[in-house]
Amino acid sequence: AADSTLAAVDADLEVVVCLSEHIPVQDMIKVRRYMEGHRTQLIGPNCPGILTADECKLGIIPGYIHRKGHVGVISRSGTLSMSNVPANGIGQTTAIGIGGDPVKGTDFIDALKLFKEDPETLAVLMIGEIGGTAEEDAAKWIAQNMPDKPVADMSAHQFFISYQFRDILEYIVVDPLENVLDILVYFHQIGVVNMARTNGVADINRPLDTNVS
């Protein structure tokens, strides 16, 4: 997969989606370095892809669960995005599955910049995962650069609080409980609406804007 991504960069493709998981981090570091100075925008790896509702998609995101609207979706979790996006008529401009790997082509901030400039996107939903500081970094960027578009966040960080003794060493080391709580408090301070449940995002209409769907 890493070699295929390099070939796509050499071919000067504008957007490349890498769905593959379990790519060695060392290989992705080489890919990221090689991509510097090229125009190719990589989405992934370990992601479901990107979809603009009723227009086109690259990847394995099911088209039938999306409908045209005005909410941009950025997700580290493919499972959470696919299970929560089709919620009671919430329409999307574009849904981007950026992937959960530590080294990837597109992060929350890259996607937020695009949605900030998109006149069709009136609000943004971020769906996070445990591990790393991606959500925290995005929150800081939102506070400084995106005051005019409401943002909601539904991160696995908050659901991990109840499972802090789970036997996954990486998550326990990278995201101690104090950091999880810090992120949630910071989201609240800057006005990012935190979604408290994973079985649907219907309530996004109220905290964001009843007219954005």
Side-chain angles (χ1 to χ4, degrees):
D3 288 342
S4 297
T5 302
L6 295 176
V9 175
D10 287 337
D12 198 33
L13 297 182
E14 185 173 354
V15 179
V16 174
V17 173
C18 181
L19 307 179
S20 303
E21 59 180 340
H22 304 307
I23 299 177
V25 172
Q26 187 174 17
D27 289 354
M28 283 309 304
I29 291 174
K30 294 176 181 178
V31 169
R32 283 296 303 268
R33 288 176 177 170
Y34 188 80
M35 291 179 65
E36 293 178 0
H38 294 81
R39 72 165 186 155
T40 302
Q41 180 68 50
L42 171 65
I43 300 173
N46 190 19
C47 78
I50 180 172
L51 179 146
T52 297
D54 297 337
E55 294 186 29
C56 66
K57 78 169 182 175
L58 293 172
I60 58 173
I61 299 178
Y64 68 88
I65 70 174
H66 294 265
R67 64 185 290 270
K68 197 71 174 175
H70 297 285
V71 177
V73 179
I74 315 165
S75 180
R76 284 177 67 193
S77 170
T79 301
L80 285 179
S81 62
M82 292 180 193
S83 62
N84 288 284
V85 163
N88 296 331
I90 305 299
Q92 307 88 40
T93 48
T94 294
I96 307 173
I98 60 176
D101 283 7
V103 180
K104 51 184 172 285
T106 301
D107 59 23
F108 277 122
I109 295 176
D110 295 324
L112 285 166
K113 289 178 180 178
L114 297 174
F115 283 134
K116 177 185 177 183
E117 301 301 324
D118 178 27
E120 295 298 318
T121 299
L122 303 182
V124 177
L125 170 64
M126 293 170 42
I127 302 176
E129 278 189 331
I130 49 180
T133 62
E135 290 79 12
E136 186 176 5
D137 295 339
K140 294 175 181 177
W141 187 90
I142 292 167
Q144 297 173 1
N145 300 280
M146 201 168 170
D148 299 329
K149 291 189 179 181
V151 179
D153 170 76
M154 185 173 62
S155 290
H157 288 87
Q158 59 187 306
F159 309 109
F160 182 61
I161 291 175
S162 299
Y163 301 96
Q164 56 182 298
F165 301 110
R166 190 173 165 184
D167 188 21
I168 303 180
L169 182 60
E170 172 195 359
Y171 295 153
I172 295 175
V173 171
V174 174
D175 265 328
L177 183 60
E178 308 84 63
N179 189 44
V180 174
L181 295 177
D182 287 344
I183 293 172
L184 299 180
V185 169
Y186 190 68
F187 278 155
H188 177 74
Q189 290 174 343
I190 67 172
V192 172
V193 177
N194 189 258
M195 311 302 292
R197 57 195 181 92
T198 58
N199 62 338
V201 293
D203 291 340
I204 193 175
N205 274 315
R206 290 193 290 274
L208 293 183
D209 186 335
T210 55
N211 297 315
V212 298
S213 62

